């Protein structure tokens, strides 16, 4: 995908979705590994569009990612869910990885909610824990905004002091407390993958201030913020990061990641519904 055509591609993808949905989405949600089932919560005004119908969207190659847009009402709010994300480790360019975020902004979404399976680094995190991402460390070695700049897609040098909206994080913690659902703050470190980290890398990430580690989220968060959306992001801890499980021979597997995400993901669905309910319901 050349940078020259990025704006046109965003327009084309937006156009395909726009012709099929009854109203612009308020919120876009990217469903991470094993969390795709959350799209089942969208029942009213449901519109499903396969990625192969949308210019620039390729079918995902990773198990646990379906590859379709599910639009509809969630807690009475029009949402656009991406059931399946593009990862850098699949070989996609960061323009492709972040195309869904650009399209969401172009469709009119004000809030981007990102979800991801992660390895837990902080000592107080265990598999099944749910975290609200407060900040990130980009260890990908690349930035999704690199390339020839097109003013129509956002600023050249966007500020990243508050990528993850303070206001929305506060709402998330309020909703979690109402639901009696433990929610922790976490700094997310993005690694390119697809191999999981080595124990030495995990020690490095901990020393740098990371609480969880994953292979996504950060490019989408940067582009969402640069495109003018508020960002709220949740990390589901699916495993202890490498070297941190009690047994040093423990291996991390994608199956385990999917299994834990599936079991613990319902709580994340409840939380998102509650947040939207609280914020958008008539006061
Ligand atoms: N490391 C990186 N990405 C992940 C992990 C992990 O331990 N678990 C789930 N996604």
């Amino acid at each position: 995908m050349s940078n020259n055509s990025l704006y046109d591609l965003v327009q084309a993808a937006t156009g395909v979705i726009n012709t099929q949905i009854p109203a612009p989405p308020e919120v876009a949600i990217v469903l991470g590994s094993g969390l795709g089932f959350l799209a089942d919560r969208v029942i009213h005004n449901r519109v499903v569009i396969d990625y192969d119908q949308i210019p620039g969207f390729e079918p995902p190659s990773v198990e646990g990612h379906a590859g379709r847009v599910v639009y509809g009402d969630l807690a009475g709010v029009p949402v656009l869910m991406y059931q399946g994300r593009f990862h850098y480790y699949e070989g996609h360019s960061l323009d492709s990885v972040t195309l869904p975020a650009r399209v969401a902004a172009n469709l009119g979404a004000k809030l981007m909610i990102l979800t991801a399976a992660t390895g837990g680094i902080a000592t107080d995190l265990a598999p099944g824990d749910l975290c609200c991402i407060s900040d990130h460390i980009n260890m990908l070695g690349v930035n999704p905004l690199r390339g020839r700049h097109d003013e129509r897609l956002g600023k050249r040098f966007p500020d990243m002091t508050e990528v993850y909206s303070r206001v929305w994080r506060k709402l998330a913690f309020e909703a979690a407390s109402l639901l009696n659902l433990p929610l922790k703050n976490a700094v997310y470190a993005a690694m390119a993958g697809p191999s999981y980290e080595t124990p030495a890398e995990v020690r490095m990430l901990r020393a740098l201030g990371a609480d969880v580690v994953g292979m996504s989220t950060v490019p989408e968060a940067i582009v969402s913020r640069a495109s003018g959306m508020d960002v709220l992001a949740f990390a589901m801890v699916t495993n202890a990061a490498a070297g941190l499980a009690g047994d040093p021979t423990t291996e991390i597997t994608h199956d385990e990641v999917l299994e834990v995400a599936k079991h613990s993901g319902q709580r994340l669905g409840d939380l998102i519904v509650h947040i939207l309910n609280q914020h958008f319901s008539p006061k």
Side-chain angles (χ1 to χ4, degrees):
M1 198 195 299
S2 98
N3 218 21
N4 282 337
S5 63
L6 183 57
Y7 178 79
D8 293 335
L9 191 61
V10 172
Q11 291 295 107
T14 305
V16 167
I17 298 175
N18 241 340
T19 55
Q20 300 188 48
I21 60 177
E26 284 278 347
V27 179
I29 307 179
V30 176
L31 300 171
S33 289
L35 296 167
F37 65 88
L38 293 177
D40 297 343
R41 300 210 177 190
V42 169
I43 294 163
H44 296 293
N45 288 328
R46 188 178 162 96
V47 175
V48 177
I49 309 169
D50 285 336
Y51 281 178
D52 61 10
Q53 292 179 40
I54 309 173
F57 283 54
E58 289 155 47
S61 65
V62 194
E63 202 194 324
H65 291 266
R68 53 193 201 156
V69 165
V70 178
Y71 169 95
D73 291 346
L74 190 67
V77 181
V79 301
L80 187 82
M81 288 197 177
Y82 291 111
Q83 202 180 28
R85 66 153 40 105
F86 308 112
H87 302 86
Y88 188 51
Y89 65 72
E90 290 173 88
H92 299 299
S93 68
L94 286 187
D95 278 350
S96 299
V97 169
T98 58
L99 183 61
R102 293 194 190 280
V103 169
N106 207 32
L107 282 164
K110 303 284 179 286
L111 171 68
M112 169 60 88
I113 301 180
L114 302 169
T115 65
T118 56
I121 296 178
T123 44
D124 65 335
L125 291 178
D129 281 354
L130 186 58
C131 302
C132 186
I133 299 175
S134 56
D135 205 345
H136 71 228
I137 301 174
N138 182 6
M139 299 294 287
L140 299 178
V142 281
N143 187 294
L145 304 178
R146 176 175 179 270
R148 184 184 297 178
H149 182 53
D150 187 330
E151 202 56 50
R152 294 169 297 183
L153 292 172
K155 289 185 194 159
R156 169 80 291 189
F157 300 110
D159 178 76
M160 292 286 144
T161 309
E162 191 185 304
V163 180
Y164 305 92
S165 157
R166 192 173 294 275
V167 171
W168 281 102
R169 279 188 282 137
K170 185 163 175 278
L171 282 170
F173 277 94
E174 282 168 10
S177 137
L178 280 174
L179 288 174
N180 229 343
L181 192 161
L183 183 65
K184 293 172 175 163
N185 270 305
V187 172
Y188 178 108
M191 298 288 274
S195 56
Y196 290 109
E197 299 68 39
T198 63
E201 286 167 344
V202 169
R203 288 195 297 275
M204 172 192 73
L205 294 174
R206 176 182 276 175
L208 292 179
D211 300 306
V212 293
V213 55
M215 303 175 193
S216 64
T217 306
V218 166
E220 294 136 310
I222 293 172
V223 166
S224 296
R225 194 72 205 100
S227 308
M229 291 188 285
D230 286 339
V231 181
L232 181 61
F234 296 103
M236 170 65 62
V237 178
T238 53
N239 55 279
L244 298 181
D247 174 358
T249 63
T250 304
E251 288 193 358
I252 303 167
T253 66
H254 187 55
D255 286 346
E256 169 197 13
V257 166
L258 294 183
E259 193 57 30
V260 177
K262 199 169 92 191
H263 275 108
S264 307
Q266 295 293 351
R267 281 180 286 130
L268 179 53
D270 294 344
L271 180 62
I272 292 174
V273 167
H274 230 75
I275 295 168
L276 298 186
N277 224 330
Q278 265 186 304
H279 183 72
F280 289 99
S281 60
K283 302 276 180 312

